[in-house]
Amino acid sequence: MGAALGVASAGAGLAVSELLSGVLHLRLSPLVALSEWIIQLTPGAVVEFGIQLLGQNDKPVLIALTLVGLVLMSCLVGIMALRSLFRAQSVFVLMGVVLLLAVHERLSSSPASFAPAVVGIAAAMAVLGVLTWRARAAVGGGGTEPAGASADPAGGAPQPGSRQARPGSRRDFLTLAGGVALGAIVVGAAGRVLARSRAALESARSNLNLAVTKGSQPAGVEVALEGIVPWRTSQQRFYRIDTALSVPQILPGEWRLRVHGLVDQELTLTYQDLLDRQLTEAWTTLCCVSNEVGGDLISNAWWSGVRIAEVLAEAGVSSDADAVLSTSDDGWTCGTPLVPLTDDRNALLAFAMNGEPLTSEHGFPVRMVVPGLYGYVSATKWLVDLEVTRFVDIEAFWTGNGWAEEGPVKTQSRIDVPMGGATVEAGDVAVGGIAWAQHTGVTKVEVRIDEGAWQQAKLGSEATTDSWRQWAYVWSATAGDHQIQVRATDASGYTQTGEEVDVKPDGATGWHTLDVTVS
Ligand SMILES: Nc1nc2c(c(=O)[nH]1)N[C@H]1C(S)=C(S)[C@@H](COP(=O)(O)O)O[C@H]1N2
Ligand SMILES: [Mo]
């Protein structure tokens, strides 16, 4: 009875966590994350031996072994629960902590990725509580014969009403536990089916053979100062902002882009249509309007795609239009001024970042990237619809929430080294960071110490005006507490204002300022 109790509870928890992983389209469920973590912690020689022994089946076998381990644990938990529910629940909590660590190690630390483990353990604990109560009732009121004997004297044909009168029989309990277990199998299977759709997408993505380049980093863009973010951001490190709880899953073969509205002729493009068009590749720094002064919601990558200007030209834009409303597969919308989409800049329907197909998180299969505009008015991920329109006729997701209709990027700069609050040694101290003014270009970066005179920093070379620039400055530091500030000047002649303005409604201003101690 204890074993059934434990296995049914753990099964319910596991099923719920598998389902939630599937619904959220996470790459790994907690169970698989745990299995992978076990491999990671196992000495290399043992892993190699296992692979030799099992070949291709090593992963399913490991997952099965992990499952067997969980079943054994949960039998113990169930037996414990009959004596002390509290102690049994504590073991579930401990198992939950282990799962969370596994998810953290193998998947990610974003809040959504922890949800399946947390909800799964909560479900297991709830079911354990209810079943324990029923089991005790059965033991107390339904006979205490050793396992194997039926607690129901009538052998399945009790007097009508007599069942209600008793708190519950052993048979009732086993039926309930069996029902829970069966339900768990169904729910867990549904989760696996959803997970398979994510796997299908991943394999479609890795089977793509795009004729794109990885983009070689231009000489001199890095100022060779440790602590500044790399000039090129990897797709894994690229900042991520979106409203999607569950990342949209679109197979390239099923993707369509509809271009309509104030156009001469509507277009519908397939993924292959896009690949067949003239390829354009460019470095572009993307940043978020919610990036605070000194913040890290900014990244730089090599993008491959098709110029939006060409697609719009083919559709034929009406002279009445001044905006394009783009919509993502999950219904998010953004309104972009027509000018930056049709002038000479590389506003792209992008399908690759740094030479690889976009990841699901960054908009696979196709997204927009427009140099010079904040992401909320230009960088639609999982793009499916472009409507040529007029600003007076539309309201996009964020502009309907009090953010500005137009979102040109504000010229900004950031100090990456030293870190705020750091203690550095007196003498020559390397100060450095990044500065950006997309599609205008950074021409000067200045640093000042303790509100003294502004001193010019050395700039990394400019690959394009659409990318950020690194900067470095050598400061002869004397002992004591000091303040460091930075400001940039762009090619329009504008120098960053020191006036501090919040990110809402159209981006923060102010000089990044930090304090360090020199010893
Ligand atoms: N579909 C969709 N696209 C979106 C968003 C979103 O919420 N949904 N957020 C936008 C915002 S606010 C930014 S800053 C960029 C961020 O793109 P990234 O996550 O690839 O860095 O995507 C933009 N595109
Ligand atoms: Mo953003």
Side-chain angles (χ1 to χ4, degrees):
M1 218 155 132
L5 179 64
V7 172
S9 314
L14 193 65
V16 168
S17 75
E18 290 289 319
L19 182 67
L20 196 56
S21 299
V23 169
L24 293 177
H25 296 305
L26 297 179
R27 194 172 54 79
L28 303 173
S29 69
L31 175 68
V32 181
L34 179 62
S35 305
E36 289 197 2
W37 197 35
I38 291 173
I39 305 186
Q40 186 185 329
L41 295 177
T42 309
V46 179
V47 175
E48 262 169 48
F49 177 73
I51 292 175
Q52 258 176 17
L53 200 70
L54 301 165
Q56 286 267 301
N57 294 324
D58 57 337
K59 217 171 152 188
V61 169
L62 186 77
I63 293 173
L65 284 177
T66 311
L67 258 180
V68 169
L70 281 179
V71 167
L72 290 178
M73 286 276 294
S74 52
C75 287
L76 287 177
V77 169
I79 291 164
M80 275 169 90
L82 289 177
R83 295 163 175 271
S84 159
L85 182 58
F86 176 76
R87 239 178 267 161
Q89 299 284 37
S90 311
V91 176
F92 268 162
V93 170
L94 265 178
M95 288 165 77
V97 169
V98 171
L99 284 178
L100 289 176
L101 284 174
V103 169
H104 170 74
E105 278 296 314
R106 300 301 309 177
L107 185 56
S108 85
S109 303
S110 82
S113 61
F114 291 120
V118 171
V119 174
I121 286 294
M125 291 176 69
V127 172
L128 185 70
V130 171
L131 285 183
T132 302
W133 170 65
R134 294 292 294 260
R136 286 185 183 161
V139 171
T144 51
E145 299 91 324
S150 169
D152 196 335
Q159 313 287 308
S162 67
R163 194 176 283 247
Q164 252 77 35
R166 296 196 322 237
S169 66
R170 178 182 289 262
R171 167 179 299 206
D172 284 346
F173 165 75
L174 288 177
T175 309
L176 183 66
V180 168
L182 208 70
I185 289 171
V186 172
V187 169
R192 295 312 296 172
V193 168
L194 288 171
R196 208 161 308 145
S197 81
R198 167 82 200 226
L201 191 89
E202 287 301 325
S203 91
R205 182 177 172 272
S206 60
N207 286 336
L208 286 172
N209 209 344
L210 302 180
V212 299
T213 68
K214 190 168 179 281
S216 52
Q217 185 161 308
V221 290
E222 299 213 333
V223 294
L225 175 54
E226 204 177 322
I228 301 182
V229 289
W231 187 78
R232 179 213 294 264
T233 316
S234 69
Q235 199 160 192
Q236 278 62 41
R237 288 285 174 87
F238 206 95
Y239 85 93
R240 176 184 170 196
I241 293 285
D242 54 63
T243 57
L245 197 59
S246 163
V247 173
Q249 310 279 296
I250 313 166
L251 288 167
E254 287 165 6
W255 180 82
R256 296 288 181 279
L257 175 65
R258 186 168 164 235
V259 185
H260 62 112
L262 302 173
V263 294
D264 299 335
Q265 57 163 348
E266 281 194 30
L267 300 178
T268 300
L269 299 180
T270 66
Y271 193 72
Q272 190 60 44
D273 290 339
L274 219 53
L275 302 189
D276 290 342
R277 283 176 170 260
Q278 169 77 49
L279 175 73
T280 297
E281 303 189 290
W283 294 103
T284 297
T285 296
L286 181 62
C287 67
C288 184
V289 67
S290 302
N291 194 32
E292 313 213 331
V293 174
D296 59 3
L297 300 179
I298 178 163
S299 300
N300 182 50
W302 175 252
W303 303 92
S304 310
V306 169
R307 296 189 70 238
I308 295 171
E310 286 171 24
V311 172
L312 290 179
E314 190 178 317
V317 173
S318 152
S319 54
D320 294 343
D322 65 0
V324 171
L325 183 72
S326 53
T327 307
S328 77
D329 183 64
D330 64 339
W332 185 85
T333 53
C334 103
T336 311
L338 201 52
V339 171
L341 296 178
T342 48
D343 66 12
D344 63 350
R345 81 187 74 191
N346 288 319
L348 297 181
L349 299 174
F351 43 77
M353 190 200 290
N354 295 328
E356 289 171 355
L358 299 174
T359 58
S360 290
E361 287 70 20
H362 291 293
F364 183 80
V366 181
R367 73 171 304 166
M368 290 168 55
V369 180
V370 184
L373 301 183
Y374 286 124
Y376 82 108
V377 290
S378 71
T380 306
K381 305 193 271 190
W382 315 291
L383 178 72
V384 293
D385 192 283
L386 289 179
E387 181 188 355
V388 178
T389 177
R390 298 182 307 180
F391 273 117
V392 292
D393 295 334
I394 57 169
E395 188 164 272
F397 186 87
W398 286 115
T399 46
N401 278 289
W403 294 80
E405 195 154 76
E406 301 213 10
V409 169
K410 293 181 180 176
T411 298
Q412 261 294 348
S413 49
R414 185 180 85 192
I415 305 165
D416 281 358
V417 255
M419 289 200 292
T423 299
V424 296
E425 259 177 55
D428 283 352
V429 172
V431 181
I434 51 171
W436 59 94
Q438 288 95 310
H439 210 63
T440 305
V442 169
T443 50
K444 186 164 73 176
V445 170
E446 295 163 295
V447 176
R448 73 173 187 181
I449 308 293
D450 302 332
E451 304 191 359
W454 288 102
Q455 306 286 328
Q456 211 162 319
K458 187 186 88 186
L459 285 173
S461 57
E462 180 174 67
T464 134
T465 59
D466 295 339
S467 281
W468 60 18
R469 287 182 87 168
Q470 291 194 352
W471 59 269
Y473 172 75
V474 180
W475 166 38
S476 312
T478 52
D481 291 339
H482 297 286
Q483 182 195 63
I484 311 176
Q485 289 179 301
V486 68
R487 70 175 187 190
T489 297
D490 65 35
S492 77
Y494 168 79
T495 297
Q496 259 184 268
T497 171
E499 189 196 340
E500 288 174 15
V501 162
D502 193 27
V503 295
K504 199 166 185 178
D506 63 356
T509 66
W511 298 322
H512 190 203
T513 301
L514 50 83
D515 297 312
V516 295
T517 301
V518 179
S519 63

